Amino acid sequence: MNQTLTAVPGFLVGHWTDLPAQTGCTALLCPPEGAVASASFLGPSPGTREGVLLAPDKKVERVHALLLTGGSAFGLGAASGVVRWLEEQNIGHQTPFARVPLVPAAVIYDLGVGDPGARPLEEHGYVAASTASSEAVPRGRVGAGTGATIGKYLGAAHTVFGGLGSAYVSRYGVSVGALAVVNPIGDVLDEAGRVIAGPGVGPGATAFAPGDLESTTLIAVVTQHTLTKPEAKRLADAAQTALARVIRPSHTAWDGDSAFVLSSCVLPSADSLLLGTLVQEVVAAAVIDAVRIR
């Protein structure tokens, strides 16, 4: 049974992975009509493209895909490949002269893990989009999670590999799915608060030395339940708070965490308290999945 993000009908996921160079990208495709979307960015250095469009006060409500990628700022160029593929499918925001696909993107810094000269490019974003499917999401060291690392507060020599995880939760008729690219400076904890990835001694250690590997966790949450942009923004904030349950420390000066919430709006709105609770649950599960599956 599919227990990943693609269990939510209408959303597709595809990867491009370069394991030798330890980088990659992941495309999340929305239904052709797009999805209402907003986002929350915490930490001093998020790397994003078109993130400002997702603010509740901006005019555009729907986006057509989301790209999560390695390669730091260089990797943002892979979003152009997703845009090109969507244009070929005649998918995008209708303007007077053309349909314009809207594809926000967010990056992790993985240049110090593998080959710093190898980054996801436009053609790789195209591959991720063109191979996206509704099958269970491949997880672990794939796509944007290929070069992710965990527990960098003692320096690069003490890190362990992170990865990409996914989860799906359905309860009382309300369903949400999530992807997590897990690349934090902190440790990852399980449901019982036990360290399952990272040095496990915490930032109080006398050898505190963040080193050269920058940190960011990327989150994408999807649902079919109707949301407004302000409601999506509040859920994106809720997704960020879920990181504190399973990443310690989280949202530090070395993290640029980014959380996106997308709704196809094909089902009636759900109880906001229940939906927020499930968003936090599915995000925590996706982060843990990235560690357990790698």
Side-chain angles (χ1 to χ4, degrees), residues 91-224:
I91 294 172
H93 174 68
Q94 185 64 61
T95 73
F97 299 101
R99 285 189 178 273
V100 180
L102 299 177
V103 183
V107 302
I108 65 167
Y109 184 95
D110 56 6
L111 302 182
V113 180
D115 179 357
R119 307 84 181 249
L121 303 175
E122 178 178 346
E123 58 263 35
H124 305 137
Y126 186 96
V127 169
S130 64
T131 58
S133 80
S134 60
E135 298 296 315
V137 178
R139 294 113 65 216
R141 295 188 61 206
V142 296
T146 304
T149 50
I150 294 170
K152 286 162 274 209
Y153 52 81
L154 295 185
H158 296 271
T159 65
V160 298
F161 279 111
L164 181 144
S166 189
Y168 169 78
V169 174
S170 182
R171 195 169 301 130
Y172 305 113
V174 177
S175 300
V176 292
L179 286 178
V181 179
V182 183
N183 184 59
I185 196 170
D187 298 316
V188 173
L189 286 64
D190 67 10
E191 300 90 336
R194 297 171 298 221
V195 174
I196 55 175
V201 297
T206 56
F208 181 72
D212 299 323
L213 300 181
E214 301 297 333
S215 306
T216 288
T217 296
L218 308 179
I219 299 294
V221 177
V222 303
T223 185
Q224 292 183 288

Side-chain angles (χ1 to χ4, degrees), residues 14-70:
H15 301 306
W16 173 80
T17 301
D18 185 346
L19 192 56
Q22 299 190 50
T23 193
C25 61
T26 298
L28 167 57
L29 303 187
C30 304
E33 61 274 17
V36 170
S38 193
S40 175
F41 305 108
L42 295 180
S45 301
T48 65
R49 163 177 163 152
E50 293 193 345
V52 69
L53 281 179
L54 303 179
D57 64 323
K58 302 309 177 188
K59 180 180 179 181
V60 171
E61 287 200 345
R62 291 183 178 249
V63 302
H64 304 95
L66 173 67
L67 181 79
L68 307 179
T69 182

Side-chain angles (χ1 to χ4, degrees), residues 222-292:
V222 303
T223 185
Q224 292 183 288
H225 299 283
T226 296
L227 298 173
T228 64
K229 280 186 78 175
E231 288 170 339
K233 173 60 166 63
R234 286 193 290 272
L235 288 176
D237 290 337
Q240 291 276 21
T241 64
L243 295 184
R245 294 166 54 179
V246 288
I247 295 175
R248 191 174 301 163
S250 59
H251 304 131
T252 73
W254 290 271
D255 290 291
D257 301 324
S258 302
F260 301 84
V261 171
L262 305 94
S263 171
S264 58
C265 296
V266 300
L267 294 178
S269 58
D271 177 82
S272 60
L273 182 58
L274 174 59
L275 191 55
T277 299
L278 296 186
V279 165
Q280 292 186 328
E281 182 177 329
V282 79
V283 167
V287 171
I288 292 171
D289 181 66
V291 172
R292 287 183 170 158

